[in-house]
Amino acid sequence: MTANVVPALEVRNITKQFPGVLANDHISFTLLPGEIHAFLGENGAGKSTLMNILYGLYDPDEGEILINGKLAKIKNPADAIGLGLGMVHQEYALVDTLTVTENIILGTELRKGPVLNAKEASQRVRELSEQYGLAVPPDAIVGDLPVGVQQRVEILKALYRNVNMLILDEPTAVLTPQEADDLFRVMRELADKGKALIFITHKLREVREVADRITVLRRGKVVGDADPKTASEGQLAALMVGRDVVLKVDKTAANPGDVVLKVRNLNLRDDRGLTVLDDVSIDVHAGEVLGIAGVQGNGQTELVEAITGLQALPSGSIELLGKDITNRPPRSITEQGVAYIPEDRKGTGLVLGYSIRDNLVLSTYYKPPFTKGLTFNDPAIDEHAKELIATFDVRTPSATTTAGSLSGGNQQKIIVAREFTRENRLLIASQPTRGIDVGSIEFIHNQIIKQRDAGLAVLLVSAELDEVLALADRVAVMYHGKIVGILPIAEATRERVGLLMAGIQEQANV
Amino acid sequence: MSNEQQAPAETKKNTELQPSKRRFGWLNEAIVPLLAILTAVLIGAVIVFVSIPGNKLPTFDPSIYGSRSDWFFSTLPERLRVTLSAFTGLFSGAFGDWTRPSTIPVAISNTLVESTPYILAGLAVAVTFKAGLFNVGAEGQLLMGALGSVAVAAFMPQWFGVASLPAIIHLPAALLAGVIAGALWGIIPGYLRAKTGAHEVITTIMLNYIALQVMDYLINGVMKDKSATLQRTPFIHENAALPRIISKATDPSLTGGQAYPRLITTTSSTWDLRIHMGIIIAFLMVGFIWWLMNRTPKGFEIKTVGENPEAARYAGMSITGTVVGAMGLSGALAGLAGTSQVIGLEYNLKAVFSSGLGFDSLAIALLAKSNPIAIVPAALFWGALRTGAGAMQVNTGISINLIQIIQALVIMFIAADQIVRWIYRIKQAEGGKITFNRSWGK
């Protein structure tokens, strides 16, 4: 970081006021060519606002942006790209039915007269992908590709437009650990070739792995810069949330009781006839957390949906406390004491257009005390909402605020509050902390352990290995629809579980 | 410590996301429909202004007017007068000529009579919008309701071999028959949707055709009044009729010998009104649907399935049951609209019975944004336009088609509410993104 290098990007005193919130408060930073600059912050810290200003989606109230030392006016994304600044959003802007090449050249088509010069375009895509180690099949249909590859297409799209700065907004949120590692390799490669990268995340381990420099944002302000080589995860987390967070979950040894959930020989094929569940059998005992580790898409979703009655099963049996619940309707299973945090918070767990109050009774609305005769008992529902908002620390102006206007962490707290306050025997938590801030993660982890200690059987499914290792008492690993190993937590090292997740089996444990 | 500091910041942010909802409440919801109506009416006025029929204006004669533009400017006062008279004509048709108070009761009664089926069928469509369904079948359900009720109202005593049945049996039986027939016609597409995924827009359109043909077949066949020259059923029994509220006694020579009931019988022509108990039933249904949707678990299920079927299934709600139930309820309401027309107003069923009531009800549900209470003003507006249009044409010579243009523009502006928001610089309530419509009538 020598003084005589002209920064690729310099931001001075950017301030953005939304009515009622100061989203960015005099933020300044520099971005040098060839560096990966991470921005760390909780949801709502102002990261996205800042990036949207850089990308021309918002106008700043104050401050200036310099690109290569020159004052720049960025009024829209086209200006940004013209100035060499590209962005890969959390949600990809790809057309599923077009090929990789078509997606990349969309809007900048090379023409031969009125006809698309497909050959040359395809050639350029191939060159770029080789140059930066971004392996993509140029002629594949984008919709058929895994998320990790789609992301590479997004990156290529920016590179194709000759950007020399790239903003990656929460790029790992949807990736498997392997895909994330691949991405980090690509990011390094890009940086080595002189591109400047801005990496937005709230995952502590990632920034330490890949970033050259870390800027921590909190409530619209830069609260600190850190060197990834020296800063510990604990220090970074403290900067982010403004207090010391316990990353390790405090818990005592499990005290397992009787079998609560007994799953035997589940088999399932998908529409295309591919095996999704392959003879899955597991037991979950009262008072223990069984963690299911595995790369996403290896049958975890279907297993959980089969247990909760959302997925019909052609064969196998599921028993809850000795009672057969195979293929029972979801409500009957819920009523027998199953709490379920679904993996898709916004699509399944909540009705975003409903108030918090209504979401809190989404699965119990039909019975007393929430009904009185034929109608709802509003005082009871209001009281319930008030109580849960307080107990579960949901940050909201009121119980009638819509769930959709809350942050991810607060949305997840609503689901946890609703599910944990029924009379439960079994708790199924699927990706319970995906994409939420550290403070909420800590809270939800503690709640899960509290449920375990109260004698519930807990089945935890997570794509984040750290989460499984922090919470589970036993770890089961799923690979291609099969349970390829079950390890007690003491034996479940990152390396051993990692091998199993990759499908490399150990004789002794199968 | 900082934990507590964080809370107010987030609180502020969340309040900010929906300030308008808090401060303006229903007015904020109603502003776009109201401005859509205003805009449509203004455009309607411009259309009248420029397209006044030739016989209302002096013809262009070069020897009198130097040029066409001179001619145009000399006709401006007349154009303005005619344009205004179109709207005063519309108003007096719908609400009476207030300089002659004796015209007021009949006009308002006519408007309410027109609005009655709109309220019921509008509710029918609104219920399905809430459930995320698009019931284009209100027309067919309404016809089936009319058929069911006329069958019972005109023929039931015959089935039991008696001359007449007491009103306490016959009237409820006729109502029930219409409701059940409509409900069945709604349940069919509901069931097909829930079990096979067949889209309700397609199936309900097809069922509309079938209903129309069934009606045609029956009123030309077993249900035809053999003594009549028109294609129609016999008059219903007087004990199966919904009473008119205030009216002159019926002339039995015009009603096949039946003396239909009135709550108040008058001899005054001013108070000889067509308004009947159907309007009361319609208002009761508005209350019932509001209560159902906002106060009961069943309504909660309908709304949840409409908002997010995934979440509904996860929460243990039955998607099949809710879809079939919502379509059945919708069919029942549309059936009731047909029923009230037959046993409250027409007293028989003719081939030209509906003239698109079921289709207009889609417009009403859209205009009311599926809010059961807002269905009432939306239906009254529609009813007033229709009632006033006839008077306008008679009094000013302006074609009744003007009203259809205005109605079409209203719906267009509701559907494309961005246009209205842009014209009047109204800020987006939430989000601010233009999205493709996934659900209807919200």
Side-chain angles (χ1 to χ4, degrees):
Chain A
M1 260 170 270
T2 44
N4 50 12
V5 178
V6 178
L9 175 73
E10 186 175 353
V11 166
R12 290 182 189 156
N13 288 322
I14 288 283
T15 299
K16 178 74 184 174
Q17 170 93 46
F18 288 118
V21 219
L22 197 53
N24 283 172
D25 187 359
H26 296 90
I27 291 181
S28 302
F29 70 90
T30 55
L31 177 69
L32 303 176
E35 83 166 341
I36 300 177
H37 190 148
F39 279 81
L40 197 59
E42 289 195 289
N43 293 335
K47 296 170 296 183
S48 297
T49 306
L50 181 59
M51 295 310 138
N52 285 332
I53 288 172
L54 292 180
Y55 200 53
L57 292 167
Y58 291 151
D59 263 340
D61 300 331
E62 268 178 58
E64 45 197 28
I65 299 167
L66 282 81
I67 288 177
N68 297 323
K70 272 188 284 223
L71 204 61
K73 270 253 171 281
I74 306 177
K75 283 201 243 54
N76 52 50
D79 288 353
I81 291 167
L83 291 162
L85 181 70
M87 180 158 173
V88 175
H89 292 269
Q90 261 184 73
E91 270 150 40
Y92 308 148
L94 297 173
V95 184
D96 276 354
T97 49
L98 296 183
T99 66
V100 169
T101 306
E102 285 166 343
N103 263 290
I104 291 172
I105 65 174
L106 208 63
T108 59
E109 296 89 344
L110 287 166
R111 285 160 202 274
K112 218 178 351 191
V115 184
L116 192 68
N117 190 346
K119 212 182 246 168
E120 199 184 318
S122 181
Q123 183 56 34
R124 265 211 67 193
V125 170
R126 200 158 294 151
E127 278 168 21
L128 275 174
S129 91
E130 274 163 26
Q131 190 183 346
Y132 294 103
L134 280 156
V136 294
D139 301 318
I141 300 290
V142 161
D144 297 341
L145 299 174
V147 194
V149 182
Q150 291 189 2
Q151 188 174 57
R152 283 185 219 149
V153 176
E154 275 284 356
I155 296 172
L156 276 172
K157 225 166 93 179
L159 295 175
Y160 188 85
R161 284 156 181 74
N162 296 317
V163 303
N164 50 31
M165 288 166 277
L166 192 59
I167 301 170
L168 298 159
D169 188 10
E170 301 271 0
T172 56
V174 289
L175 300 184
T176 64
Q178 282 81 351
E179 285 174 329
D181 286 343
D182 261 0
L183 173 70
F184 297 153
R185 190 184 50 68
V186 168
M187 285 168 69
R188 197 27 71 206
E189 184 94 27
L190 288 168
D192 289 347
K193 295 224 160 83
K195 306 277 183 202
L197 276 77
I198 292 180
F199 174 41
I200 312 286
T201 187
H202 56 245
K203 292 187 189 161
L204 302 171
R205 210 159 54 77
E206 292 178 351
V207 283
R208 295 192 56 226
E209 224 172 291
V210 74
D212 296 315
R213 203 138 58 101
I214 301 170
T215 296
V216 184
L217 293 183
R218 176 152 50 95
R219 286 160 55 202
K221 277 195 184 124
V222 174
V223 290
D225 285 298
D227 183 341
K229 286 171 202 70
T230 54
S232 75
E233 283 185 31
Q235 286 168 332
L236 291 174
L239 270 177
M240 261 167 85
V241 299
R243 66 195 152 114
D244 291 317
V245 212
V246 194
L247 264 191
K248 276 261 175 259
V249 181
D250 276 328
K251 61 169 181 147
T252 52
N255 185 13
D258 297 335
V259 174
V260 173
L261 178 73
K262 187 166 151 188
V263 172
R264 287 293 174 271
N265 311 103
L266 300 193
N267 284 290
L268 183 70
R269 283 166 188 280
D270 67 10
D271 300 338
R272 291 170 297 173
L274 301 175
T275 302
V276 178
L277 292 179
D278 186 358
D279 215 30
V280 172
S281 299
I282 48 170
D283 286 333
V284 189
H285 297 258
E288 72 158 357
V289 177
L290 176 66
I292 297 197
V295 177
Q296 253 196 296
N298 274 284
Q300 300 97 317
T301 306
E302 289 78 5
L303 173 62
V304 164
E305 291 194 344
I307 298 169
T308 51
L310 294 169
Q311 166 71 57
L313 280 171
S315 74
S317 76
I318 301 168
E319 279 178 22
L320 185 70
L321 296 162
K323 221 176 134 201
D324 184 46
I325 57 162
T326 323
N327 288 330
R328 299 284 302 147
R331 175 156 297 167
S332 133
I333 292 171
T334 308
E335 286 186 337
Q336 290 176 54
V338 178
Y340 172 32
I341 302 173
E343 62 177 35
D344 185 356
R345 170 169 67 237
K346 294 179 178 181
T348 311
L350 294 169
V351 180
L352 295 179
Y354 279 5
S355 62
I356 295 171
R357 167 191 185 276
D358 288 352
N359 271 295
L360 284 170
V361 293
L362 199 63
S363 49
T364 45
Y365 64 91
Y366 57 93
K367 53 186 181 188
F370 305 125
T371 59
K372 208 159 76 182
L374 287 172
T375 58
F376 284 126
N377 181 9
D378 281 329
I381 298 175
D382 289 335
E383 187 53 38
H384 175 76
K386 219 176 107 190
E387 219 178 284
L388 265 54
I389 287 172
T391 314
F392 287 85
D393 189 28
V394 181
R395 310 273 174 82
T396 169
S398 81
T400 51
T401 304
T402 54
S405 63
L406 297 181
S407 71
N410 281 310
Q411 289 178 347
Q412 194 72 345
K413 283 180 188 171
I414 298 174
I415 298 177
V416 168
R418 178 183 68 216
E419 295 301 310
F420 285 13
T421 45
R422 292 195 302 261
E423 287 279 309
N424 292 319
R425 306 304 300 270
L426 171 67
L427 164 62
I428 299 174
S430 195
Q431 320 290 358
T433 59
R434 178 192 280 171
I436 65 177
D437 57 279
V438 177
S440 304
I441 291 177
E442 188 193 7
F443 180 84
I444 288 169
H445 281 173
N446 286 333
Q447 287 291 330
I448 290 175
I449 293 304
K450 221 169 110 188
Q451 295 289 314
R452 180 200 75 166
D453 293 343
L456 266 74
V458 180
L459 181 66
L460 168 78
V461 177
S462 178
E464 306 229 10
L465 187 50
D466 291 338
E467 180 165 57
V468 174
L469 294 180
L471 291 176
D473 302 306
R474 287 190 300 142
V475 179
V477 184
M478 269 189 105
Y479 178 73
H480 282 193
K482 216 176 164 69
I483 301 281
V484 290
I486 299 181
L487 305 171
I489 190 67
E491 294 169 28
T493 58
R494 281 189 74 85
E495 294 66 35
R496 261 183 102 177
V497 177
L499 285 175
L500 286 169
M501 281 168 74
I504 302 161
Q505 298 200 14
E506 304 169 60
Q507 281 317 19
N509 279 298
V510 180
Chain B
M1 193 48 220
S2 59
N3 220 353
E4 279 114 297
Q5 286 169 356
Q6 221 175 339
E10 285 208 24
T11 308
K12 265 190 194 162
K13 183 179 165 194
N14 285 332
T15 332
E16 189 42 46
L17 285 170
Q18 35 178 230
S20 43
K21 254 192 186 166
R22 271 149 206 292
R23 271 176 241 148
F24 304 111
W26 69 271
L27 187 63
N28 187 56
E29 291 286 313
I31 193 91
V32 168
L34 288 175
L35 290 173
I37 289 171
L38 177 69
T39 315
V41 168
L42 289 177
I43 293 177
V46 171
I47 292 172
V48 177
F49 189 81
V50 299
S51 69
I52 286 172
N55 61 5
K56 296 263 168 192
L57 295 171
T59 41
F60 171 65
D61 180 346
S63 64
I64 304 173
Y65 308 99
S67 67
R68 278 211 175 257
S69 66
D70 286 350
W71 167 78
F72 182 82
F73 284 112
S74 77
T75 61
L76 279 184
E78 180 62 9
R79 285 175 187 273
L80 204 60
R81 198 192 61 75
V82 175
T83 307
L84 279 177
S85 79
F87 287 96
T88 52
L90 192 62
F91 180 86
S92 60
F95 303 106
D97 178 351
W98 288 54
T99 59
R100 291 186 299 138
S102 64
T103 61
I104 296 172
V106 171
I108 289 181
S109 153
N110 285 343
T111 294
L112 290 173
V113 167
E114 286 286 339
S115 305
T116 303
Y118 286 145
I119 294 175
L120 288 166
L123 278 178
V125 177
V127 166
T128 58
F129 281 171
K130 286 274 183 196
L133 301 163
F134 199 145
N135 177 16
V136 195
E139 180 78 2
Q141 292 144 16
L142 189 142
L143 291 179
M144 291 314 277
L147 265 179
S149 63
V150 83
V152 166
F155 299 105
M156 191 167 157
Q158 213 164 295
W159 304 335
F160 293 98
V162 293
S164 70
L165 288 162
I168 193 131
I169 295 170
H170 205 174
L171 176 56
L175 278 169
L176 205 61
V179 167
I180 290 173
L184 284 176
W185 220 243
I187 285 172
I188 297 168
Y191 185 82
L192 291 175
R193 171 66 196 261
K195 284 293 174 194
T196 71
H199 204 285
E200 74 278 0
V201 168
I202 308 294
T203 51
T204 51
I205 289 175
M206 296 306 132
L207 284 165
N208 284 345
Y209 289 122
I210 297 174
L212 195 62
Q213 298 311 321
V214 167
M215 182 179 92
D216 211 40
Y217 172 75
L218 289 176
I219 63 176
N220 280 305
V222 290
M223 285 167 75
K224 187 175 185 333
D225 184 349
K226 306 285 186 299
S227 63
T229 44
L230 276 171
Q231 287 172 20
R232 63 161 177 83
T233 66
F235 280 92
I236 62 168
H237 280 262
E238 58 196 39
N239 286 348
L242 279 175
R244 295 226 160 139
I245 290 170
I246 176 166
S247 189
K248 285 184 180 172
T250 38
D251 176 355
S253 67
L254 299 174
T255 57
Q258 303 292 329
Y260 292 115
R262 279 95 174 81
L263 293 184
I264 303 167
T265 309
T266 177
T267 51
S268 150
S269 292
T270 308
W271 292 98
D272 185 17
L273 308 180
R274 296 192 302 148
I275 185 170
H276 55 89
M277 291 300 285
I279 189 84
I280 306 295
I281 293 178
F283 283 134
L284 288 175
M285 285 299 130
V286 168
F288 171 70
I289 295 299
W290 179 87
W291 174 81
L292 184 82
M293 298 307 292
N294 294 293
R295 303 289 310 132
T296 72
K298 279 292 160 218
F300 189 68
E301 284 168 12
I302 291 175
K303 284 190 293 185
T304 308
V305 167
E307 288 269 337
N308 184 345
E310 275 300 307
R313 214 163 84 85
Y314 157 76
M317 301 174 186
S318 159
I319 307 281
T320 308
T322 306
V323 165
V324 173
M327 283 300 288
L329 176 61
S330 174
L333 287 164
L336 195 53
T339 302
S340 113
Q341 290 296 89
V342 167
I343 66 174
L345 186 65
E346 309 264 347
Y347 299 136
N348 59 28
L349 185 57
K350 302 178 192 70
V352 286
F353 167 69
S354 157
S355 69
L357 285 174
F359 298 115
D360 278 356
S361 63
L362 287 166
I364 287 158
L366 280 172
L367 183 56
K369 294 185 153 190
S370 306
N371 177 330
I373 307 292
I375 291 283
V376 174
L380 286 174
F381 172 65
W382 230 246
L385 281 183
R386 253 176 95 125
T387 312
M392 181 191 73
Q393 182 162 19
V394 171
N395 296 334
T396 66
I398 289 164
S399 166
I400 208 163
N401 296 337
L402 170 68
I403 299 310
Q404 283 169 9
I405 293 175
I406 291 179
Q407 288 179 331
L409 286 171
V410 169
I411 294 312
M412 218 180 73
F413 286 131
I414 300 270
D417 67 337
Q418 293 293 339
I419 299 175
V420 174
R421 289 183 190 280
W422 177 74
I423 295 175
Y424 298 97
R425 304 287 188 274
I426 304 173
K427 285 230 174 87
Q428 199 73 2
E430 263 174 65
K433 252 195 208 166
I434 298 171
T435 46
F436 289 109
N437 231 2
R438 209 164 49 82
S439 56
W440 305 97
K442 284 175 195 156

